Amino acid sequence: MRETKICVIGLGYVGLPLARLFSTKFDTIGFDLSQKRVDELMAGHDATLEVPDELLRDAIDNHGFRCVTDIEAIRDRNFYIVAVPTPVDADNNPDLTPLYLASETVGKVIGKGDVVVYESTVYPGVTEEECVPVVEKVSSLRLNEDFFAGYSPERINPGDKLHTVEKIKKVTSGSTPEAGEYINEVYGSVISAGTHLAPSIKVAEAAKVIENSQRDINIAFVNELSKIFNKMGIDTLDVLEAAGTKWNFLPFRPGLVGGHCIGVDPYYLARSAQRHGYNPEIILAGRRMNDGMGEYVAAQTVKLMLKKRIQVIGSKILILGFTFKENCPDSRNTKVVDIYRALKEYNLDITVYDPWAKASLVQKEYGISIVNQPPSGKFDALIAAVAHKEFQELDIAGLLEDRHVVFDVKGTLDRNMVDGRL
């Protein structure tokens, strides 16, 4: 068997950690369209903070890892891994554009006997029915005759330094049994948690898309419970703590559901089901519930202000956090923006403080100005939207007017200072 030479296409939250890991065992190149991103990485720094600088520098200095934008530099590879985003459009329909473009790139360089593996989250059938035909058309090669394909769903958890890529069991699959065995062997050589070889690419695709759909539905259930118990005057977290004393109770908590996985993957599964003539009621009901939580938080905050006779129009509101999760700079598909936009309808003076999010990216993506340093002044209301570690040391009381409202989305603040929470 010839030497495996790997190219990972797409160096974001998924691709870079994987490429860095593969470089410890294989000759590995990372490919990305952004010259700025490549220059940053080759200088030894990852702005997503998924790969520590010392690990990145070690990969470059000691394992020959390099990142490029030049397609000619990856022509000698024989094992291509596609790790590009799979977002939804404004109507929540799957947007496969990044996958099509990446497949065109692969088609330009893939050769006989080579392998292409997709990691991007998709619905069952996308790899073989959407991506591979693009590779075939551009390359004039044929699947399972000239080249082989596989699917190994990404399982990166942004910001999680405990469950890193090599410590999470990896699902693999191939377009033929032999290709599957080879792909499984390549991944298994670097994934210490082990691998699971699925019987087909479609099974692997389906396994990925239901992982986050399951979490989405469970969170939607507790979000609905939160709304019910709020009307009853019962603390939801107290209820969950009591129910959690049973060994088989699932410890989900209410909250905002954003990010590039849980808030997106269910739409891929739903659209796939609809194409097959089935309308997925539970999946879409969960999405509606979770997509409405930002507006619910805003409405509850305003209601609490009115109860305390705080002037709403023109009042000063502080939102703590903007990223989609704590201790992570990733603001893709953040649902904090829904809180912000709903509050804006009340003509409020809103300050968003997030020490992790990059202000220029937030401004470009959402048109919202945020601050990265603790704000000064006094606020009429505060919404703790994200549980960044920096907020644990923040003098929250010192930021508030004598008469104020505090709404705790994550349930991490001292309940004695909180007026409302999910």
Side-chain angles (χ1 to χ4, degrees):
M1 183 173 64
R2 60 178 172 165
E3 178 189 4
T4 300
K5 302 174 75 173
I6 292 175
C7 172
V8 177
I9 297 173
L11 298 176
Y13 284 86
V14 172
L16 180 66
L18 187 67
R20 196 286 310 173
L21 179 62
F22 271 125
S23 74
T24 62
K25 291 286 183 71
F26 301 97
D27 178 356
T28 304
I29 294 178
F31 178 86
D32 200 279
L33 294 176
S34 171
Q35 188 65 53
K36 179 181 179 182
R37 174 69 169 159
V38 165
D39 291 344
E40 165 196 272
L41 294 176
M42 290 306 294
H45 177 65
D46 171 27
T48 71
L49 306 181
E50 287 303 301
V51 176
D53 289 355
E54 59 270 20
L55 281 182
L56 181 57
R57 285 193 291 268
D58 175 69
I60 295 171
D61 296 339
N62 300 320
H63 299 288
F65 176 58
R66 61 195 189 278
C67 305
V68 301
T69 57
D70 180 12
I71 193 171
E72 292 303 317
I74 65 172
R75 192 173 292 281
D76 69 333
R77 306 288 96 182
N78 52 35
F79 196 100
Y80 296 94
I81 299 173
V82 175
V84 296
T86 43
V88 292
D89 62 20
D91 297 318
N92 291 321
N93 293 308
D95 180 4
L96 301 179
T97 303
L99 272 180
Y100 292 143
L101 294 175
S103 296
E104 288 179 4
T105 298
V106 172
K108 292 175 183 177
V109 294
I110 198 168
K112 288 201 171 188
D114 292 355
V115 172
V116 55
V117 179
Y118 289 85
E119 290 230 355
S120 307
T121 299
V122 293
Y123 52 83
V126 167
T127 298
E128 294 161 293
E129 298 164 15
E130 299 288 342
C131 298
V132 165
V134 174
V135 177
E136 289 181 321
K137 180 179 179 181
V138 175
S139 67
S140 297
L141 301 177
R142 289 293 169 261
L143 178 68
N144 296 335
E145 295 178 12
D146 304 308
F147 72 95
F148 303 90
Y151 183 78
S152 180
E154 62 90 0
R155 281 181 165 172
I156 295 292
N157 187 26
D160 189 339
K161 303 309 176 187
L162 178 62
H163 302 97
T164 50
V165 59
E166 69 273 17
K167 297 176 183 177
I168 304 174
K169 195 163 189 173
K170 204 81 162 65
V171 174
T172 61
S173 64
S175 54
T176 67
E178 294 76 18
E181 292 288 350
Y182 172 52
I183 292 166
N184 191 62
E185 179 184 341
V186 171
Y187 275 92
S189 67
V190 295
I191 303 295
S192 57
T195 59
H196 173 86
L197 178 57
S200 71
I201 287 176
K202 285 186 175 67
V203 167
E205 291 169 324
K208 169 57 182 176
V209 82
I210 71 166
E211 289 175 16
N212 289 317
S213 297
Q214 182 186 68
R215 285 181 53 78
D216 192 48
I217 291 167
N218 278 292
I219 297 171
F221 173 59
V222 292
N223 275 337
E224 186 164 56
L225 291 179
S226 176
K227 291 183 176 183
I228 294 170
F229 293 144
N230 178 56
K231 288 184 174 295
M232 296 179 177
I234 301 173
D235 189 292
T236 305
L237 297 187
D238 285 345
V239 175
L240 295 175
E241 182 180 357
T245 58
K246 189 179 182 185
W247 79 93
N248 61 351
F249 184 81
L250 301 178
F252 288 93
R253 295 179 61 157
L256 304 175
V257 183
H260 67 108
C261 287
I262 302 180
V264 173
D265 295 0
Y267 286 121
Y268 274 70
L269 181 56
R271 295 299 179 262
S272 178
Q274 289 168 339
R275 270 191 283 270
H276 286 80
Y278 181 83
N279 189 50
E281 298 179 16
I282 294 176
I283 295 170
L284 292 179
R287 280 285 73 233
R288 287 192 295 271
M289 173 60 65
N290 289 339
D291 276 348
M293 291 307 292
E295 187 173 348
Y296 175 77
V297 168
Q300 290 298 112
T301 302
V302 170
K303 184 182 293 185
L304 289 167
M305 293 173 70
L306 292 172
K307 285 184 177 180
K308 286 194 171 185
R309 299 185 182 278
I310 298 174
Q311 172 67 36
V312 174
I313 296 177
S315 61
K316 297 181 66 177
I317 309 293
L318 175 62
I319 299 177
L320 295 180
F322 191 81
T323 59
F324 90 91
K325 66 182 294 186
E326 64 274 8
N327 307 322
C328 171
D330 191 354
S331 59
R332 289 176 297 171
N333 196 34
T334 176
K335 294 304 176 183
V336 180
V337 70
D338 295 340
I339 299 176
Y340 180 93
R341 288 170 177 166
L343 289 174
K344 267 298 184 182
E345 295 182 4
Y346 294 94
N347 294 321
L348 305 178
D349 180 5
I350 306 172
T351 298
V352 180
Y353 164 45
D354 192 309
W356 286 79
K358 191 168 183 179
S360 59
L361 291 180
V362 173
Q363 178 65 50
K364 180 180 179 181
E365 181 70 21
Y366 299 101
I368 296 173
S369 297
I370 68 170
V371 296
N372 295 128
Q373 298 298 324
S376 57
K378 299 283 187 176
F379 295 88
D380 301 295
L382 179 147
I383 299 175
V386 186
H388 290 316
K389 59 186 180 182
E390 287 82 357
F391 298 154
Q392 297 174 9
E393 309 298 326
L394 192 63
D395 178 17
I396 291 178
L399 291 169
L400 298 168
E401 297 283 3
D402 292 337
R403 188 168 53 176
H404 61 264
V405 162
V406 174
F407 194 96
D408 186 8
V409 173
K410 298 291 289 185
T412 57
L413 300 181
D414 182 346
R415 69 172 60 195
N416 293 319
M417 70 166 58
V418 171
D419 298 283
R421 63 179 182 177
L422 293 180

